[in-house]
Structure formats: C-alpha cells, structure tokens
C-alpha cells in the first residue's frame, strides 16, 4: 500500500489527538478522585494532591541544582548498568551458543536470576553491596538474562538454509557471523534491548528507593514520603514517568529508523 | 568430475535412494530428471556434504558452485552485496560484468526483498557462477524465468563451466530444460 504525505500527516494528527484525549481523560479522573477524596476527608489533600498541584510542585523543583544532580546521576547509573549488561549479555549469549558446556553452566543461574523478584534480590544484596552501586547492579541483574536469552536463542534459530549456503560456499566463520548470523538476530536484539531498557529504568529506581542511594530520584521519592511531602513524591514520580516516556520514544525512533533502513516491520 | 557410487540413503524409516549411481564427467552436463519426491534434492545434498551418507562412495570437487532450489539470498542486502559475498575483492569486476550481462545492473543496489522471483533467481545463478567452483550444480534453476532469460543463462553456463571442462549437474522436473544445456538425461525414481 502506498501512503501519500497528506495521509501520513492525517494519521499522525489523528494519533496525536487520540493520545492527548486519553491523557486528558485520565488527568480529569485524577483531579476528580482527588477532589472527591478531599471533600470526604480534608486531610487527603496531603495524601492525594490533584494533578495541577503536582505539576506546580514539579515546576518548582525540576530545575533546582539538587534535583538536576539527582536526575543526571540516576540516568548515569541506569544507563551505565544497561549498556554494560547489554555487552555482557550478548557476550554470554554468544558463548552459550558456541559451547554446550558454557550453556549448561550459565543458563540455570541466569534463569534463576530472571525468575527471582527484583525486591528480593535488592534486599539480599543490600547486605553486601554499597547503596550507590546497587541500582547499577540491579539493572545488570535484570537486563543480562534478557539479552543473553535473546542472543543465545536468536543464534540457535538462524535459518538453517542460509547456514548451509555459507557452508557450501565455504564462507569463513567471521564472514558467516558478520554477514549472516548477526544481521539475522539484530532486529530481535534491538527490540529486546528496547524492552530491557524499560525494565532497567523501573528496577534502577526501585533499587534507589529501597537502598536510599544518595543523590538519586529514588531517594527523593523515599525521603519525601517519609517527611509527608506527598506532593514532592508525586512530582518526582511524574518526572520519572516523563523521563521513561522520552527514553522509550527516543529508542523507538532509533529502532524504527534501523528497521526501515533494513526492511523490517516498524514498531508502533 | 562428480561420481556417486552405490549410494543408499534414508530419512528415518523411509528409503530415499537405493544403490544409486551417478557420473558427471569434465565438460559434461547431466540432467537429473524426476518427479517431486523422487530424491533429486537429496542427491544434491549428498554431493554437497549436507547429508551423511549411510552406504556408498562420493567423489566430488572441493569447490562446488551451487544454485539451490530456494534462492538462499540475504533478503535485506542488495544485489551487489549478495553476489560479492562469495568472492574476493579482485573478482568484483567479473561479478559486475555478469550482473550487466544478466540485465540486473540498474537494480544492483536494490534490496533482494524488492526483486521479483525471476530476478532473485538470476542473482542466485550469478552468485554461483562468479564463485567459480570446479563443478556446477543447479537445482530447478529456471523457475520463474522466461525462455529468453533461460537461453542467456544457458549460454553463460556453457561458457563459464562446460567450455572450461567443468561438470554441470542440472536437477529439474522439467525434461525440456535438458535441451538448453545439451544435457544427458538420467531419470531418478527414488528407491525403485
């Protein structure tokens, strides 16, 4: 099907209106529930502030030095953990693909890590690990098994016919890896990274909250709750959600650019 | 030369080949003709070392140019990349010349996934020819091609393989294909 520029613009406009309508509906619901709660119990203004109050608070704190420092350090912890994990996970996936012994040794550990709840891991590791390292470590423990599984399974399931072609035409191992194996798994690998980044972000913040990591968005959430500044709690959470949406949008943009370039299906 | 002696092969319980013999001499073209399921592609797989032969002897050259029944091209890569994948840099001009001869030069930068079935077939054949093996095996090579294109391909195969005393094995279920390459026809009927 061929789309004209006009059709594309109309479709983007429709999509934007739809997203804004849904957002407006939920903001309205939030305001309504908050007002109702305050009407029933005036103390609820403290516990359930309305969206405009939260937005006002966010505007007040979002550009302060302390907040920006916490935000940047949280991003640094999560992204460092994420990229290191992608590298380690891919390496392990490649290793378990080429060695059955490595698969037997590594796969049970990674499968166990993946099935243990993140909170349990944080509580267990908190005894041994410093709080400023913990978020990065938790991100690693969440992301490595996902990337490992994707790379291992992807390499195991490459089209046999293409591998036979490589064998018959005596392509070197490196050439087969670079020209056939890696391009075959790249779309699913990128898609898996996109999902893993969402998880990394959530688990990193959770680790910061539970471990009270200094200079972090997580500790801002945790401290504001302790001091009953619930409007700050909501404002920081709102900031986390906004960052998450921006990161997801940027990642999808990059992924779709790659997929369009390489003839794959575009993610919506 | 390509030589199969007393080959017996089965997939599990099902016997596919029973004491099968085949001889393709230098500069000779043999058409292996048979209906679907008669074991033609199994013969190709045995020659290429893709199946473990249970009984029999296989004598084949080390380097074999092959056109598979399916094109087996890298769908997301362009024509040039697919053809150049199997050759060293110094052979690129030969590949370019063949792409021109097959009428694909204007489409050389198109991704394979954007090509028609016939064009893909031509790319697979060009790739096999430029690989410059010591023998050529073609499995249903003319699928999706018109008679003019078949003639062009046959001429190139004669020039690049038969005239250079290299054996050519043509595997097809269309008997008339033999005439294009003046092939000797051998009928295969599985384990009969």
């Amino acid at each position: 099907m061929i789309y004209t520029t006009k059709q594309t613009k109309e479709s983007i406009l429709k999509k934007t209106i739809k997203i804004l309508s849904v957002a407006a509906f939920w903001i309205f619901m939030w305001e309504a529930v908050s007002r109702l709660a305050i009407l029933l119990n005036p103390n609820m203004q403290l516990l359930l502030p309305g969206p405009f109050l939260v937005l006002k608070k966010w505007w007040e704190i979002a550009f302060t030095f302390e907040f920006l420092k916490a935000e940047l350090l949280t991003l640094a912890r999560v992204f460092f953990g994420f990229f290191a994990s992608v590298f380690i996970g891919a390496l392990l996936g490649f290793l378990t693909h080429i060695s059955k012994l490595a698969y037997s040794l590594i796969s049970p550990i990674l499968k166990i890590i993946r099935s243990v709840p993140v909170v349990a891991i944080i509580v267990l590791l908190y005894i041994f690990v410093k709080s400023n390292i913990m978020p990065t470590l938790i991100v690693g423990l969440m992301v490595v098994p996902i990337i490992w599984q994707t790379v291992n399974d992807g390499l195991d399931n490459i089209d046999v016919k293409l591998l036979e072609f490589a064998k018959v035409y005596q392509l070197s191992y490196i050439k087969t890896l670079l020209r056939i194996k890696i391009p075959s798994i790249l779309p699913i690998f990128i898609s898996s990274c996109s999902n893993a980044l969402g998880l990394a972000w959530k688990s990193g913040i959770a680790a910061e909250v539970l471990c009270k990591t200094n200079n972090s968005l997580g500790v801002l959430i945790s401290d504001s709750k302790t001091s009953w500044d619930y409007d700050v709690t909501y404002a920081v959470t709102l900031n986390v959600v906004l960052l998450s949406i921006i990161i997801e949008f940027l990642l999808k943009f990059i992924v779709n650019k790659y997929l369009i370039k390489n003839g794959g299906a575009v993610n919506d | 030369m390509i030589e199969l002696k007393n080959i017996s092969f089965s997939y599990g319980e099902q016997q596919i080949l029973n004491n099968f013999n085949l001889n393709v001499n230098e500069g000779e073209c043999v058409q292996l003709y048979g209906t679907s399921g008669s074991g033609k592609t199994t013969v190709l797989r045995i020659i290429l070392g893709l199946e473990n032969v249970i009984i029999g002897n296989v004598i084949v050259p080390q380097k074999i140019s092959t056109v598979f029944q399916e094109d087996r091209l890298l769908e997301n890569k362009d024509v040039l990349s697919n053809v150049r994948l199997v050759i060293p840099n110094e052979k690129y001009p030969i590949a370019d010349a063949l792409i021109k001869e097959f009428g694909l030069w204007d489409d050389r930068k198109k991704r394979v996934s954007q090509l028609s079935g016939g064009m893909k077939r031509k790319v697979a054949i060009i790739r096999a020819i430029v690989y410059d093996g010591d023998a050529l095996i073609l499995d249903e090579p003319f699928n999706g091609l018109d008679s003019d294109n078949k003639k062009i391909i046959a001429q190139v195969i004669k020039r690049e393989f038969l005239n250079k005393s290299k054996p050519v094995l043509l595997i097809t279920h269309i008997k008339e294909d033999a005439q294009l390459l003046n092939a000797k026809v051998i009928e295969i009927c599985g384990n009969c």
Side-chain angles (χ1 to χ4, degrees), chain A residues 164 169-170 175 261-263, chain B residues 45 62 66 72 85 111:
Chain A
E164 283 180 353
Y169 279 85
Q170 299 173 358
K175 212 170 189 179
K261 196 180 162 200
N262 290 279
Chain B
R45 293 181 64 79
Q62 275 248 310
T66 309
R72 302 198 188 192
L85 180 66
R111 239 181 266 143

Side-chain angles (χ1 to χ4, degrees), chain B residues 11-90:
Chain B
Y11 283 116
E13 295 290 299
Q14 194 191 353
Q15 180 99 23
I16 306 293
L17 299 171
N18 188 16
N19 272 324
F20 177 77
N21 291 287
L22 176 72
N23 215 0
V24 189
N25 295 314
E26 276 86 9
E28 182 186 30
C29 180
V30 168
Q31 183 195 28
L32 198 59
Y33 164 79
T35 52
S36 297
S38 57
K40 303 187 298 290
T41 300
T42 304
V43 171
L44 171 136
R45 293 181 64 79
I46 290 168
I47 292 171
L48 297 176
L50 299 174
E51 300 288 357
N52 296 318
V53 180
I54 298 165
I55 304 166
N57 288 322
V58 180
I59 302 166
V60 291
Q62 275 248 310
K63 193 178 172 189
I64 301 175
S65 292
T66 309
V67 177
F68 293 94
Q69 194 170 0
E70 322 81 16
D71 302 308
R72 302 198 188 192
L73 299 167
L74 306 180
E75 291 281 322
N76 289 330
K77 295 287 171 193
D78 61 24
V79 172
L80 278 180
S81 305
N82 268 281
V83 172
R84 289 174 172 180
L85 180 66
V86 299
I87 52 172
N89 295 9
E90 58 268 23

Side-chain angles (χ1 to χ4, degrees), chain A residues 76-112:
Chain A
R77 283 185 203 101
V78 170
F79 274 96
F80 177 73
F82 174 74
F83 285 116
S85 310
V86 168
F87 178 73
I88 293 167
L91 212 62
L92 288 177
F94 181 70
L95 189 68
T96 54
H97 164 68
I98 57 170
S99 159
K100 280 185 179 169
L101 177 69
Y103 184 85
S104 308
L105 286 171
I106 294 168
S107 68
I109 303 295
L110 292 176
K111 282 176 182 169
I112 288 168

Side-chain angles (χ1 to χ4, degrees), chain B residues 46-161:
Chain B
I46 290 168
I47 292 171
L48 297 176
L50 299 174
E51 300 288 357
N52 296 318
V53 180
I54 298 165
I55 304 166
N57 288 322
V58 180
I59 302 166
V60 291
Q62 275 248 310
K63 193 178 172 189
I64 301 175
S65 292
T66 309
V67 177
F68 293 94
Q69 194 170 0
E70 322 81 16
D71 302 308
R72 302 198 188 192
L73 299 167
L74 306 180
E75 291 281 322
N76 289 330
K77 295 287 171 193
D78 61 24
V79 172
L80 278 180
S81 305
N82 268 281
V83 172
R84 289 174 172 180
L85 180 66
V86 299
I87 52 172
N89 295 9
E90 58 268 23
K91 282 193 174 177
Y92 285 178
I94 299 170
D96 292 355
L98 262 181
I99 291 170
K100 280 178 193 160
E101 192 170 356
F102 276 51
L104 288 175
W105 187 247
D106 292 340
D107 303 302
R108 68 191 182 282
K109 288 187 177 165
K110 272 190 187 165
R111 239 181 266 143
V112 165
S113 57
Q114 294 173 304
L115 302 179
S116 69
M119 289 161 103
K120 285 181 187 179
R121 209 70 197 126
K122 285 204 254 182
V123 176
I125 293 168
I126 294 168
R127 186 179 64 183
I129 293 169
V130 296
Y131 181 59
D132 197 23
D134 299 319
L136 174 66
I137 302 179
L138 307 131
D139 193 359
E140 307 286 1
F142 302 122
N143 280 355
L145 293 170
D146 56 47
S147 57
D148 287 345
N149 273 310
K150 283 183 186 181
K151 280 176 195 163
I152 293 169
I153 291 164
Q155 272 175 8
V156 176
I157 291 170
K158 280 179 191 168
R159 188 182 74 212
E160 298 295 329
F161 285 88

